[in-house]
């Protein structure tokens, strides 16, 4: 499968995207070929266009100060040894100690009792490591959530074709290569001087020669010598070898004959990749291109949309079905639904419709696993299929798509319930984890208490507050305005009942930005003291407000909101979205009523005419039906200061 690599660098962030051809992509013409200027060429680069038949398959993001430490080698100090876990915690200079399991301990000439081998005569971990002991370890997995980095004493230094393992022996070959190519590479590597170490031939070595191996192993030897020198001079904990940055790692691991090009929009990153190719694969230098246009390379290749899609819980399928991806602490669950897809043609059968949806889902599931870099245990809930051959076809499609995934996976058979269990190696945080954080309101739960639930809880708190402080006449309480509305105007008007029972007066303040379950007493004292602070306006006061929305019950009126406090403005229905001067005529604890104070003579005439028309319409309706119909309330137009405050509260919405 043909691929392209896109590297873009912004302030404090490096992004790498991999594009894959869907089937056989159409060959781009001179007009639609992505234009990127190679080093040394003159002229201004033209705006690239994404060639047809390509789509984003993988994305990686690395930010300054939080780059991945996988592959880094440290001189660490053993902090403590836990025989019950057959593991040790090692201080490597990070916030959390690294985790070293007994299976990852390597000591030349020492037999080690491995996990699960009962009766083994090898040395136990308590005999191998002691607190305070200094050891050389390599990070195999980044710190994830509450866990520290996973460490190993089996060091490895990666090149483009080979991985040099100083404590290993022999030569291994990637299983992703064909049997014929694996045999050929073993012959090419025969007789290679590994200096008492071992090596692994990588997938990218397809087509490599003995000369390629000899040139690269010399380079890896030099890196290992430098590592040993630094380790000897360093005092634990200290880093003695740092893995290459993101762009070099990705290109080194996957750039092969399948890749058409790598396009970079940053001069320094281009020079790093140029230097890497010069040392390891000079024949691929002509595939490295520098883009110097003004437009965003990331957006032009559709990668920005792909990033946003990783944040969505729902993923649509071409036929009309969709996936739902849910993340849990122990696993990731993917549910497949048929959605709007009901089959094709008059003779469509349920089994065929389900199978078609599942086949599409199998392909998209693997794409999402790679795109989001989902690791750990994964459970896929396919739609139940009655025929065994259809289940086999879906599982075969899933495994075939996983062949393109460079991350190690293991897939079980479809269970009788239609579930597929699989694991995918979890090495670093994915795009979703890098771009997001835990919601501070729900703390990652995904749900919060409803306003009704909180209102009932606050009713209890208000009664307790009144009982605990019998000498206090009034309280000012800070809560969310939506909860205030339920207390004042909700079913049964609970606040009136509470005040009648307790003999206390409660006022409320707060804005929409407060959490729904927020509760705090901000003032207590006499009724006059609390009311002076609690009520934001006074009768007769003129305030400039924005008319936000139509009134719920009176079509000519409108509503303005100031920090969650509602002002019903009579005759303001024509001025929604405008800022107008309003004279307050009555004030309540959660709402006030007012009239427009800055109307021109023409506007006043229009408002009065609308009021008369509404009145006439109501009178005519009453005569035609032979029944008296309720007239719409005109808050702020009549009554003025004489209106009682409870009526103003009743119009908060």
């Amino acid at each position: 499968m043909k691929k392209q690599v896109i590297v873009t660098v912004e302030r404090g962030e490096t992004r790498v995207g991999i594009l894959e051809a869907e089937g056989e992509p159409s060959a781009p013409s001179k007009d639609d070929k992505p234009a990127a200027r190679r080093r040394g060429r003159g002229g201004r680069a033209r705006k690239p266009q994404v060639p047809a038949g390509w789509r984003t398959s993988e994305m990686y993001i690395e930010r300054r100060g939080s780059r991945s430490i996988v592959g880094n080698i440290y001189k660490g100090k053993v902090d403590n040894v836990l025989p019950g876990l057959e593991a040790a915690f090692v201080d490597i200079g990070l916030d959390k100690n690294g985790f070293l399991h007994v299976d990852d301990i390597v000591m030349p000439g020492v037999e080690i009792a491995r996990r699960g081998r009962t009766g083994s005569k090898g040395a136990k971990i308590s005999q191998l490591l002691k607190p305070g002991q200094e050891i050389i370890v390599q990070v195999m997995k980044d710190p994830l959530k509450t866990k520290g980095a996973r460490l190993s004493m089996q060091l490895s230094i990666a090149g483009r074709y080979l991985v040099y393992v100083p404590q290993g022996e022999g030569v291994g070959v990637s299983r992703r290569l064909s049997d014929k190519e694996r045999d050929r590479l073993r012959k090419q590597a025969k007789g290679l001087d590994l200096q008492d170490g071992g090596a692994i031939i990588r997938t990218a070595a397809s087509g490599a020669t003995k000369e390629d191996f000899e040139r690269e192993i010399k380079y890896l030897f030099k890196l290992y010598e430098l590592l040993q020198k630094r380790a000897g001079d360093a005092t634990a904990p200290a880093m003695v070898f740092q893995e290459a940055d993101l762009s070099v790692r990705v290109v080194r691991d996957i750039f092969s004959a399948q890749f058409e090009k790598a396009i970079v929009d940053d001069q320094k990153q281009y020079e790093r990749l140029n230097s890497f190719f010069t040392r390891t694969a000079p024949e691929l230098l002509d595939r490295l291109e520098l883009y110097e246009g003004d437009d965003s390379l990331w957006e032009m290749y559709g990668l920005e949309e792909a990033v946003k899609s990783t944040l969505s819980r729902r993923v649509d399928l071409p036929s009309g079905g969709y996936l739902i991806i849910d993340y849990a602490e122990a696993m990731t669950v993917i549910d497949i639904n048929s959605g709007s897809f009901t089959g094709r043609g008059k003779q469509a059968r349920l089994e065929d419709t389900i199978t078609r949806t599942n086949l599409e889902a199998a392909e998209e599931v693997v794409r999402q696993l790679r795109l989001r870099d989902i690791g750990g245990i994964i459970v896929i809930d396919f739609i139940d299929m009655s025929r065994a051959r259809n289940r086999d076809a879906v599982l075969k499609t899933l495994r075939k798509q996983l062949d393109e995934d460079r991350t190690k996976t293991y897939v079980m058979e479809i269970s009788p319930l239609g579930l597929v269990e699989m694991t995918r190696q979890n090495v670093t945080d994915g795009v979703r984890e890098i771009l997001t954080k835990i919601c501070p309101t729900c703390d990652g739960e995904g749900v919060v208490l409803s306003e009704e639930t909180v209102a009932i809880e606050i009713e209890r708190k208000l009664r307790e507050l009144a009982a605990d402080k019998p000498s206090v006449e009034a309280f000012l309480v800070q809560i969310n305005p939506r909860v205030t509305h339920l207390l004042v105007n909700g079913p049964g008007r609970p606040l009136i009942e509470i005040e009648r029972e307790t003999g206390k007066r409660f006022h409320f303040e707060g804005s929409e930005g407060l959490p729904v379950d927020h509760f705090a007493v901000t003032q207590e004292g006499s009724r006059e003291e609390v009311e002076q602070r609690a009520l934001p306006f006074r009768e007769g006061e003129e305030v400039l407000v924005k008319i936000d929305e139509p009134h719920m019950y009176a079509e000519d009126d409108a509503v303005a909101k100031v920090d969650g406090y509602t002002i019903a403005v009579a005759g303001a229905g024509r001025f929604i979205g405008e800022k107008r001067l309003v004279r307050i005529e009555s004030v309540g604890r959660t709402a006030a009523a007012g009239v427009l104070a800055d109307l021109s003579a023409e506007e006043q005439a229009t408002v009065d005419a609308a009021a008369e028309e509404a009145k006439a319409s109501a009178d005519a309706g009453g005569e035609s039906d032979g029944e008296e119909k309720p007239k719409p309330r005109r808050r702020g137009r009549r009554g003025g200061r004489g209106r009682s405050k409870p009526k103003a509260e009743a119009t908060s919405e």
Side-chain angles (χ1 to χ4, degrees):
M1 181 179 289
K2 294 184 178 180
K3 303 181 181 182
Q4 292 185 3
V5 178
I6 308 297
V7 181
T8 182
V9 180
E10 298 176 352
R11 184 184 64 84
E13 184 177 79
T14 300
R15 296 184 173 192
V16 178
I18 301 175
L19 304 178
E20 285 184 352
E22 296 178 288
E24 285 296 326
S26 58
S29 65
K30 293 181 180 180
D31 295 330
D32 62 10
K33 183 178 180 180
R37 191 168 66 82
R38 288 192 177 94
R39 185 179 177 86
R41 294 182 181 179
R44 184 179 177 85
R46 295 181 290 110
K47 180 179 178 179
Q49 299 294 327
V50 185
W54 296 83
R55 73 173 183 178
T56 308
S57 62
E58 296 179 28
M59 292 182 299
Y60 303 93
I61 298 178
E62 188 171 81
R63 291 178 173 170
R64 188 180 303 167
S66 59
R67 61 178 292 179
S68 171
I69 62 171
V70 172
N72 289 1
I73 298 176
Y74 294 84
K75 186 175 185 179
K77 181 181 292 186
V78 178
D79 188 43
N80 57 348
V81 180
L82 304 176
L85 293 178
E86 296 183 313
F89 288 94
V90 183
D91 180 9
I92 57 174
L94 303 180
D95 294 338
K96 294 180 181 178
N97 289 341
F99 180 82
L100 176 65
H101 194 270
V102 67
D103 289 348
D104 298 313
I105 296 176
V106 176
M107 292 183 174
V110 178
E111 184 181 357
I112 300 172
R114 302 298 181 185
R115 177 176 55 181
R117 299 180 184 178
T118 56
S120 174
K121 297 181 180 180
K124 305 289 185 180
I125 190 169
S126 57
Q127 299 171 308
L128 300 170
L129 300 177
K130 303 293 181 182
Q133 181 178 345
E134 294 185 351
I135 56 176
I136 306 298
V137 291
Q138 186 169 30
V139 177
M140 310 305 294
K141 184 185 294 186
D142 276 327
L144 299 174
K145 297 181 181 178
T146 60
K147 299 179 181 179
R150 180 71 182 261
L151 307 176
S152 174
M153 293 178 66
Q154 179 79 284
L155 307 183
S156 61
I157 305 174
R160 179 167 178 258
Y161 299 125
L162 299 171
V163 176
Y164 176 52
V165 186
Q167 298 101 329
E169 59 182 22
V171 177
V173 184
S174 170
R175 293 181 179 179
R176 291 184 176 274
L177 297 170
S178 64
D179 292 341
K180 183 178 180 180
E181 180 63 12
R182 293 180 68 194
D183 292 339
R184 189 192 71 82
L185 290 173
R186 283 195 184 93
K187 292 179 182 178
Q188 294 294 318
K190 190 175 182 180
L192 197 63
D193 182 13
L194 299 177
Q195 297 185 359
D196 297 326
I200 301 171
I201 300 177
R202 312 187 67 178
T203 307
S206 178
T209 64
K210 186 174 184 179
E211 290 73 20
D212 294 326
F213 293 150
E214 290 175 344
R215 180 176 67 248
E216 185 162 279
I217 199 67
K218 290 178 182 178
Y219 169 67
L220 297 178
F221 284 158
K222 290 180 181 179
L223 289 181
Y224 183 58
E225 290 174 4
L226 179 62
L227 183 158
Q228 289 179 305
K229 182 177 183 304
R230 288 179 178 174
D233 298 338
T235 301
M239 181 173 64
V240 296
F241 175 82
Q242 186 173 28
E243 180 63 290
D245 59 14
L246 178 63
S247 60
V248 175
R249 289 201 310 271
V250 173
V251 169
R252 178 194 66 197
D253 293 348
I254 60 181
F255 212 77
S256 64
Q258 291 180 320
F259 279 81
E260 292 193 345
K261 65 180 65 177
I263 306 176
V264 190
D265 68 357
D266 181 74
Q267 182 70 36
K268 291 183 179 179
Q269 287 290 334
Y270 174 84
E271 290 173 357
R272 289 192 186 102
L273 291 173
N274 191 299
S275 174
F276 171 74
F277 281 128
T278 301
R279 293 194 311 268
T280 61
E283 71 279 5
L284 297 180
L285 273 173
D286 61 340
R287 303 187 191 184
L288 177 63
E289 301 181 358
L290 175 64
Y291 170 71
E292 293 182 329
D294 296 329
D295 298 306
S296 169
L297 191 63
W298 195 255
E299 291 184 1
M300 287 187 293
Y301 277 82
L303 292 162
E304 190 63 42
E305 289 300 318
V307 169
K308 294 178 182 178
S309 72
T310 63
L311 306 180
S312 175
R313 182 169 173 258
R314 171 171 169 156
V315 180
D316 292 321
L317 300 174
S319 67
Y322 60 91
L323 314 179
I324 295 294
I325 303 176
D326 286 318
Y327 302 87
E329 183 69 23
M331 66 183 70
T332 300
V333 180
I334 303 177
D335 183 42
I336 289 90
N337 298 282
S338 59
S340 61
F341 183 54
T342 57
R344 298 283 175 83
K346 296 181 180 179
Q347 303 300 319
R349 295 179 299 175
L350 176 61
E351 181 73 8
D352 295 338
T353 301
I354 291 173
T355 304
R356 170 70 180 274
T357 303
N358 283 340
L359 289 172
E360 287 185 359
E363 296 182 6
E364 187 61 32
V365 162
V366 176
R367 179 172 181 259
Q368 291 299 320
L369 295 181
R370 299 173 62 193
L371 203 59
R372 303 177 185 223
D373 198 14
I374 298 174
I377 300 173
I378 300 159
V379 176
I380 309 168
D381 183 10
F382 287 104
I383 306 173
D384 290 343
M385 294 168 286
S386 58
R387 295 184 179 179
R389 67 179 184 183
N390 291 337
R391 294 194 293 270
D392 293 341
V394 170
L395 190 61
K396 182 179 179 181
T397 300
L398 181 69
R399 286 175 168 161
K400 182 179 179 181
Q401 294 297 316
L402 286 171
D403 289 341
E404 296 295 328
D405 189 3
R406 297 180 297 113
T407 303
K408 187 183 299 182
T409 59
Y410 177 73
V411 182
M412 301 286 289
E413 299 291 334
I414 295 182
S415 74
L417 297 178
L419 304 178
V420 172
E421 300 173 22
M422 63 172 289
T423 60
R424 189 172 185 269
Q425 190 175 21
N426 201 358
V427 177
T428 63
D429 283 330
V431 173
R432 175 178 174 270
E433 286 72 24
I434 294 173
L435 295 180
T436 62
K437 68 175 184 179
I438 297 296
C439 171
T441 301
C442 71
D443 199 24
E445 294 294 329
V447 294
V448 295
L449 295 175
S450 68
E451 288 85 352
E452 292 83 358
T453 302
V454 175
I456 292 172
E457 290 183 358
I458 290 180
E459 287 181 40
R460 292 195 293 265
K461 291 181 179 179
L462 294 181
R463 287 188 172 91
E464 292 171 1
L465 188 62
D468 293 341
K469 298 187 177 182
S471 61
V472 179
E473 292 182 355
F475 300 90
L476 179 59
V477 181
Q478 189 180 64
I479 58 178
N480 188 290
R482 298 195 300 275
V483 179
T484 301
H485 172 68
L486 289 176
L487 290 172
V488 176
N489 298 319
R493 301 184 63 136
L495 183 61
I496 294 177
E497 182 67 20
I498 294 173
E499 290 183 336
R500 186 186 62 79
E501 291 177 2
T502 63
K504 309 296 183 183
R505 185 76 168 174
F506 296 97
H507 289 275
F508 304 103
E509 66 177 0
S511 65
E512 291 288 347
L514 286 176
V516 174
D517 59 351
H518 180 80
F519 177 88
V521 179
T522 57
Q523 186 181 2
E524 55 187 47
S526 66
R527 291 194 178 191
E528 292 75 14
E529 291 173 343
V530 173
E531 186 172 298
Q532 186 175 6
R533 173 179 169 181
L535 301 181
F537 307 111
R538 297 292 177 266
E539 293 180 1
E541 182 180 358
E542 294 186 350
V543 292
L544 183 66
V545 297
K546 182 181 178 182
I547 309 299
D548 290 311
E549 58 191 47
H551 194 274
M552 186 178 294
Y553 305 114
E555 61 181 15
D556 295 330
D557 296 353
V559 172
K561 292 184 178 180
V562 180
D563 290 333
Y565 190 83
T566 302
I567 305 174
V569 186
R574 300 174 57 247
F575 307 109
I576 293 173
E578 299 182 17
K579 286 189 175 181
R580 303 306 295 251
L581 191 65
V582 174
R583 182 171 61 253
I584 304 298
E585 293 200 340
S586 62
V587 181
R589 280 177 286 189
T590 62
V595 295
L596 295 166
D598 60 348
L599 288 176
S600 64
E602 182 180 352
E603 289 175 333
Q604 184 66 56
T606 303
V607 170
D608 291 341
E612 291 299 329
E613 183 180 347
K615 182 177 181 300
S617 176
D619 292 341
E623 293 174 2
S624 62
D625 294 337
E627 297 179 2
E628 183 180 354
K629 292 189 176 180
K631 297 178 181 179
R633 295 185 59 182
R634 303 289 298 157
R635 294 170 298 161
R637 298 293 292 171
R638 306 190 193 99
R641 299 173 184 267
R643 180 178 299 175
S644 63
K645 291 179 181 178
K647 291 184 178 179
E649 292 167 15
T651 60
S652 62
E653 292 298 317

